[in-house]
Amino acid sequence: DQQVKQNSPSLSVQEGRISILNCDYTNSMFDYFLWYKKYPAEGPTFLISISSIKDKNEDGRFTVFLNKSAKHLSLHIVPSQPGDSAVYFCAAVSTGTASKLTFGTGTRLQVTL
Amino acid sequence: DTEVTQTPKHLVMGMTNKKSLKCEQHMGHRAMYWYKQKAKKPPELMFVYSYEKLSINESVPSRFSPECPNSSLLNLHLHALQPEDSALYLCASSRDSLNEKLFFGSGTQLSVL
């Protein structure tokens, strides 16, 4: 049972345009969400996070939006750059317990010139 | 220093071999993790150590044996593995086990023949 889903396995976006990566979750106990970025042959790198008490968090070119009623979050990258090409994992956790992150299946983003 | 260092980067072993994966961090983090990732799948939690004590074992077979000799080191001892255990093994650390922001190593790509 996949509690965190990323339904788009891949996404191609032109440099300078907006990239939107989506993530859905089913467990209503999740209250903290993270995005990780992974390059080949490297471990995942933390990108941005959001608590369920917020609906938006912004850090430079990266913005995460959370829609709790829809159990949906999205990562916006504006403007997209070739160096953003990587696999992006959404992760969710129920805070107050040991950090058992549940990861989504990942979306491979390709930013083209 | 925000690095989690894993050795070796690659490992090929037979089903009768005994080998160990090593992980080291010097960020003063008190929680350390082992994750397993198969191709095109999300990372899956195996073990969590909190203050050098095993706090979570996600029903991992006993052929995987974790060890935390001190707060900076985490080992994963492997014995009598099966070919289906071939995967990328990721180590991670966080400030403590209630902190969701994990720092990952680059992983050990394990092949079991």
Side-chain angles (χ1 to χ4, degrees):
Chain A
D1 177 30
Q2 193 71 30
Q3 297 186 64
V4 180
K5 296 180 186 179
Q6 294 174 254
N7 291 319
S8 297
S10 63
L11 175 68
S12 182
V13 171
Q14 214 169 13
E15 182 181 11
R17 300 285 184 111
I18 183 170
S19 295
I20 300 176
L21 296 93
N22 293 304
C23 178
D24 297 293
Y25 62 96
T26 56
N27 189 339
S28 56
M29 298 299 291
F30 290 147
D31 57 2
Y32 194 78
F33 305 89
L34 307 92
W35 284 94
Y36 280 83
K37 172 177 168 179
K38 186 178 186 302
Y39 293 117
E42 293 185 15
T45 304
F46 170 77
L47 197 55
I48 193 169
S49 62
I50 188 166
S51 164
S52 61
I53 61 173
K54 294 186 171 183
D55 54 19
K56 177 183 172 181
N57 189 26
E58 195 171 348
D59 183 2
R61 297 186 296 115
F62 303 92
T63 303
V64 57
F65 295 92
L66 176 62
N67 181 334
K68 286 189 293 293
S69 60
K71 294 193 178 71
H72 176 85
L73 62 155
S74 61
L75 174 68
H76 293 211
I77 307 174
V78 180
S80 301
Q81 298 174 354
D84 296 328
S85 298
V87 177
Y88 289 78
F89 289 98
C90 166
V93 66
S94 175
T95 57
T97 62
S99 292
K100 292 177 63 170
L101 293 186
T102 300
F103 284 87
T105 46
T107 296
R108 181 176 300 279
L109 173 66
Q110 180 74 38
V111 179
T112 59
L113 297 172
Chain B
D1 181 4
T2 57
E3 264 196 11
V4 176
T5 305
Q6 286 188 246
T7 55
K9 290 196 182 306
H10 302 275
L11 179 63
V12 180
M13 61 186 289
M15 289 189 284
T16 58
N17 292 158
K18 280 187 184 181
K19 296 285 184 185
S20 297
L21 309 185
K22 296 187 182 302
C23 176
E24 190 169 0
Q25 57 86 15
H26 295 288
M27 293 180 276
H29 288 175
R30 303 314 299 266
M32 295 186 78
Y33 309 77
W34 281 113
Y35 278 81
K36 173 182 176 179
Q37 186 178 20
K38 303 276 270 185
K40 299 190 193 299
K41 298 284 188 184
E44 293 180 356
L45 182 65
M46 300 175 72
F47 302 103
V48 181
Y49 272 83
S50 177
Y51 289 85
E52 298 150 58
K53 288 190 177 6
L54 182 64
S55 60
I56 293 177
N57 176 341
E58 290 287 281
S59 303
V60 179
S62 60
R63 57 186 185 269
F64 295 92
S65 174
E67 179 199 16
C68 189
N70 60 54
S71 59
S72 300
L73 294 175
L74 184 66
N75 299 321
L76 186 63
H77 302 298
L78 314 172
H79 174 52
L81 293 195
Q82 305 295 310
E84 58 266 28
D85 296 322
S86 298
L88 179 68
Y89 288 84
L90 292 162
C91 174
S93 71
S94 63
R95 192 180 64 212
D96 56 56
S97 64
L98 295 182
N99 188 279
E100 301 79 8
K101 193 185 297 184
L102 270 58
F103 291 78
F104 283 87
S106 300
T108 294
Q109 187 65 54
L110 174 68
S111 296
V112 182
L113 304 178

